[in-house]
């Protein structure tokens, strides 16, 4: 086994704790070439596509990567922000705000953000944390609900990085926070604020990212955690079962996926006389192509063209104070037992360095 070179170590340097906020990923630009690179990496992950490689590779490289990038690039271009991809912009802001908010609570953390697919990669940001002196790293996947295709894939990537390094930091992972009181409260506050500004629609639809239906039968807890998030949010808002629906979006391929599907549900609601709907996506920590284009453009059009009169999209929590506060509480709970608050004792560190050098440590 060949290991990557270790960062220079200076005896007496205080041990630090790092936080790595990981989201799914995004093309670096809304162009066919950049989108093709992103899709190739994303759709090559066996956690995402559970089809034998020999069967999937010809489909991916012979059909999908030849036809889909141009169409996807146009969709990305329709939601691209001045600062870049919305997912990247919001994730960067979340990492910055987390460092500041946790710092105000007394935690001296090094916070970095990473993308599972695309840049900055998880490996490069783990290298940056190690170079900055992090000997402990908490990995926070920005997926409230656990899913093998998302959360577990982040763990896989961290493990691949670990295989190439000799001196590993202590590692912890946040598996999920789908029912965390702070997260539910932040979602509920965002809905209430929307109602105060825009008025309340006839029904609240909660749309989560879809997964193949077989994932539920195989033991993935994602479906159950989405339903629990929906139930807890409805309870926090005082909604009866008739006043909200949980649906699943982003179907891919011909196989059966988790139901009910978002767009057909919206069409049916409108066709049956429902005039207005509010829609929120509680499974996304940041607005992205799936929320801004698929929901706020395509799903909106589907509802209105089927007879609905008002469609209101409630944005993701993004960099809202309630969201940062909730994530900070999740982080604090998972940091328990790690020394993150006490300031380094310069004199004690100097004594440690002198003792190490006396015993023959390299300078």
């Amino acid at each position: 086994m060949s290991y990557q070179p270790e960062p220079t170590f200076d005896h007496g340097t205080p041990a630090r704790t790092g936080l790595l906020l990981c989201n799914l990923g995004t093309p670096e630009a809304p162009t066919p070439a950049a989108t093709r690179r992103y899709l190739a990496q994303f759709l090559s992950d066996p956690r995402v596509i559970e089809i034998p490689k020999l069967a999937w590779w010809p489909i991916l490289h012979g059909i999908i990567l030849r036809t889909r990038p141009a169409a996807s690039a146009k969709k990305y271009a329709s939601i691209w922000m001045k600062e870049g991809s919305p997912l990247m912009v919001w994730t960067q802001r979340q990492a910055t705000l987390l460092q500041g908010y946790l710092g105000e609570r007394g935690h001296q953390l090094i916070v970095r953000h990473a993308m599972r697919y695309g840049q900055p990669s998880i490996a490069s940001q783990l290298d940056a944390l190690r170079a900055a002196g992090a000997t402990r790293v908490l990995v926070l996947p920005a997926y409230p609900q656990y899913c093998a295709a998302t959360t577990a894939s982040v763990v896989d990537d961290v493990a691949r990085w670990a295989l190439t390094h000799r001196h590993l930091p202590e590692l912890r992972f946040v598996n999920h926070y789908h029912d965390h009181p702070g997260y539910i409260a932040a979602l509920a506050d965002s809905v209430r604020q929307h109602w105060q500004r825009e008025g309340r629609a006839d029904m609240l639809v909660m749309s989560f990212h879809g997964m193949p239906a077989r994932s539920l039968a195989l033991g993935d807890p994602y479906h159950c955690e989405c339903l629990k998030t929906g139930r807890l949010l409805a309870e926090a808002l005082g909604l009866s079962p008739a006043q909200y629906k949980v649906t699943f979006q982003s179907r891919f391929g011909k196989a059966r996926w988790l139901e009910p599907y978002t767009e057909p549900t919206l069409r049916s609601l409108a066709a049956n006389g429902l005039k207005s709907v509010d829609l929120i996506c509680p499974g996304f920590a940041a607005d992205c192509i799936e929320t801004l284009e698929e929901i706020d453009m395509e799903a909106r059009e589907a509802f209105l063209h089927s007879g609905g009169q008002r469609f209101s999209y409630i944005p993701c929590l993004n960099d809202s104070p309630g969201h940062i506060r909730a994530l900070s509480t999740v982080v604090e709970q998972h940091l328990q037992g790690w020394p993150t608050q006490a300031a380094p004792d310069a004199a004690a560190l100097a004594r440690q360095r002198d003792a190490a050098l006396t015993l023959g440590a390299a300078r």
Side-chain angles (χ1 to χ4, degrees):
M1 175 67 73
S2 177
Y3 298 109
Q4 296 294 321
E6 291 296 320
T8 302
F9 178 74
D10 184 14
H11 289 279
T13 301
R16 303 190 66 187
T17 298
L19 171 64
L20 186 62
L21 176 67
C22 302
N23 214 318
L24 187 78
T26 175
E28 295 179 62
T31 64
T35 303
R36 183 177 294 108
R37 288 193 298 272
Y38 167 71
L39 289 175
Q41 185 184 11
F42 174 48
L43 296 176
S44 295
D45 187 347
R47 288 282 193 183
V48 174
I49 304 295
E50 294 187 49
I51 298 175
K53 188 174 180 179
L54 285 176
W56 174 241
W57 235 235
I59 299 172
L60 175 61
H61 292 276
I63 301 174
I64 294 175
L65 293 180
R66 293 176 183 269
T67 60
R68 191 169 178 181
S72 294
K74 290 181 180 179
K75 293 183 177 183
Y76 277 106
S78 71
I79 55 99
W80 212 255
M81 300 169 68
K82 180 181 178 181
E83 306 96 316
S85 166
L87 183 69
M88 182 65 71
V89 171
W90 292 122
T91 306
Q92 288 174 330
R93 291 181 186 176
Q94 288 166 353
T96 299
L97 290 169
L98 277 171
Q99 175 134 15
Y101 195 89
L102 288 163
E104 290 179 358
R105 293 190 178 188
H107 300 286
Q108 299 177 1
L109 302 179
I110 314 168
V111 183
R112 297 284 187 272
H113 71 279
M115 296 292 156
R116 172 61 186 88
Y117 314 103
Q119 299 298 325
S121 67
I122 289 174
S124 68
Q125 294 296 68
L126 285 170
D127 284 340
L129 287 170
R130 288 285 290 115
T135 60
R136 301 169 294 267
V137 177
L138 173 63
V139 180
L140 172 58
Y143 312 124
Q145 297 80 22
Y146 176 95
C147 183
T150 54
T151 315
S153 184
V154 168
V155 178
D156 290 345
D157 214 35
V158 173
R160 272 188 288 271
W161 172 84
L163 286 172
T164 65
H165 288 73
R166 183 181 303 278
H167 187 188
L168 299 179
E170 291 183 72
L171 292 166
R172 291 180 182 175
F173 298 87
V174 177
N175 258 20
H176 52 191
Y177 52 96
H178 66 289
D179 57 355
H180 191 279
Y183 161 67
I184 298 299
L187 288 173
D189 285 345
S190 74
V191 175
R192 293 191 194 98
Q193 291 170 18
H194 177 84
W195 285 347
Q196 290 169 2
R197 292 190 308 267
E198 308 291 338
R200 180 169 166 174
D202 298 327
M203 178 173 289
L204 178 65
V205 174
M206 308 173 194
S207 180
F208 294 83
H209 198 287
M211 284 296 297
R214 66 189 294 268
S215 65
L216 175 60
L218 292 173
D220 199 303
Y222 177 72
H223 179 260
C224 299
E225 294 192 0
C226 291
L227 294 183
K228 187 173 185 180
T229 297
R231 175 176 59 81
L232 292 175
L233 177 55
E235 290 175 357
L237 293 170
L239 299 178
S240 70
Q243 293 175 309
Y244 77 97
K245 285 189 179 295
V246 171
T247 64
F248 296 89
Q249 64 185 83
S250 308
R251 276 185 296 165
F252 179 75
K254 296 181 180 180
R256 178 171 166 251
W257 281 45
L258 296 177
E259 296 177 302
Y261 303 140
T262 297
E263 188 171 309
T265 297
L266 290 169
R267 291 184 184 276
S268 176
L269 289 172
N272 287 315
L274 191 77
K275 299 303 181 185
S276 62
V277 67
D278 293 322
L279 193 147
I280 188 171
C281 296
F284 295 87
D287 274 311
C288 55
I289 192 168
E290 285 86 358
T291 64
L292 298 174
E293 197 279 334
E294 182 181 356
I295 294 298
D296 201 21
M297 294 181 186
E298 293 184 3
R300 172 189 296 277
E301 182 179 4
F303 181 73
L304 296 178
H305 282 193
S306 298
Q309 295 180 359
R310 185 173 74 84
F311 178 98
S312 292
Y313 169 64
I314 302 173
C316 291
L317 295 176
N318 295 325
D319 63 351
S320 65
H323 191 205
I324 303 304
R325 185 165 54 249
L327 290 178
S328 296
T329 302
V330 171
V331 168
E332 283 186 308
Q333 291 173 349
H334 284 79
L335 288 175
Q336 290 185 31
W338 279 357
T340 64
Q341 295 183 313
D345 184 331
L349 291 174
R351 289 194 295 271
Q352 292 174 17
R353 174 179 168 79
D354 291 342
L357 294 176
T358 299
L359 292 172
R363 290 183 178 272

